[in-house]
Amino acid sequence: SIIVDPKQPTLMYASACSGIYKSENRGEKFQKIQGIPATARRTRVLMQDPQHLNIVFAGTTEGLFRSGDSGATWLRTTGPEVIVNDVYVDPSDSNRVLLATERGGVLASNDGGMSFVPSNRGFSSRQIVAYVQDAEHPATIYVGLVNDKEWGGVFVSDNGGLTWSQISA
């Protein structure tokens, strides 16, 4: 995962199996960011809060980490058992954060990613690999599920992730 700060394009973040890296010179040199335990450094996704660019989320194989100071310090906001495949921050309300997880389905936060509750009504499977938002209808979100040929595929929520229905076609 790579982030280029939209207001300060010299600032970049990149994730790797060995951790998170930050560049302040357009990617010419990356420095490894400290503060995430060595066991959780397999970072699958990085996401920047579109309204508060100093807030960065790192979805790892041992939970979600949140930085409020551009990666200087990190706080794990889920348990270490949560495997995060993708992070969605609502661009119109950055207090609304959704996680696509390996076995827990969708986890939802209404406090900027500080705490999460399951949001899985309507799902037949819980291994979610990706989110995408409808650009014209921000409350419409699609998620992709894997490893379940009959009940997997694509699910849609028309209410910001509160309920889901399968798009079987």
Side-chain angles (χ1 to χ4, degrees):
S1 187
I2 297 173
I3 296 173
V4 178
D5 188 299
K7 298 237 166 127
Q8 185 182 347
T10 56
L11 179 61
M12 299 174 70
Y13 300 88
S15 67
C17 292
S18 58
I20 301 169
Y21 298 82
K22 182 178 178 180
S23 172
E24 296 179 352
N25 57 9
R26 296 187 189 272
E28 289 182 30
K29 181 179 179 184
F30 281 88
Q31 296 282 94
K32 189 172 192 173
I33 291 178
Q34 301 301 314
I36 292 181
T39 57
R41 289 194 179 140
R42 183 171 282 260
T43 305
R44 293 191 169 172
V45 64
L46 295 171
M47 182 62 63
Q48 197 172 26
D49 181 326
Q51 293 181 3
H52 307 95
L53 298 176
N54 60 312
I55 297 175
V56 180
F57 296 96
T60 77
T61 55
E62 289 191 15
L64 180 76
F65 288 82
R66 182 185 189 277
S67 174
D69 53 13
S70 301
T73 59
W74 296 87
L75 173 68
R76 183 172 13 216
T77 62
T78 66
E81 74 284 354
V82 177
I83 298 172
V84 180
N85 291 325
D86 206 352
V87 177
Y88 167 78
V89 181
D90 186 331
S92 63
D93 178 9
S94 62
N95 282 319
R96 182 76 169 158
V97 178
L98 302 177
L99 303 180
T101 71
E102 191 77 13
R103 296 178 299 268
V106 174
L107 299 180
S109 172
N110 288 314
D111 59 6
M114 297 305 290
S115 64
F116 290 88
V117 295
S119 180
N120 294 309
R121 191 170 46 176
F123 277 125
S124 58
S125 176
R126 298 287 176 96
Q127 187 173 4
I128 299 171
V129 293
Y131 286 110
V132 68
Q133 179 187 32
D134 185 320
E136 293 180 18
H137 308 283
T140 301
I141 304 167
Y142 299 89
V143 295
L145 285 73
V146 298
N147 295 334
D148 190 337
K149 292 181 181 179
E150 184 178 349
W151 300 107
V154 177
F155 281 71
V156 63
S157 173
D158 293 323
N159 54 20
L162 297 175
T163 59
W164 301 89
S165 60
Q166 185 179 29
I167 302 173
S168 59

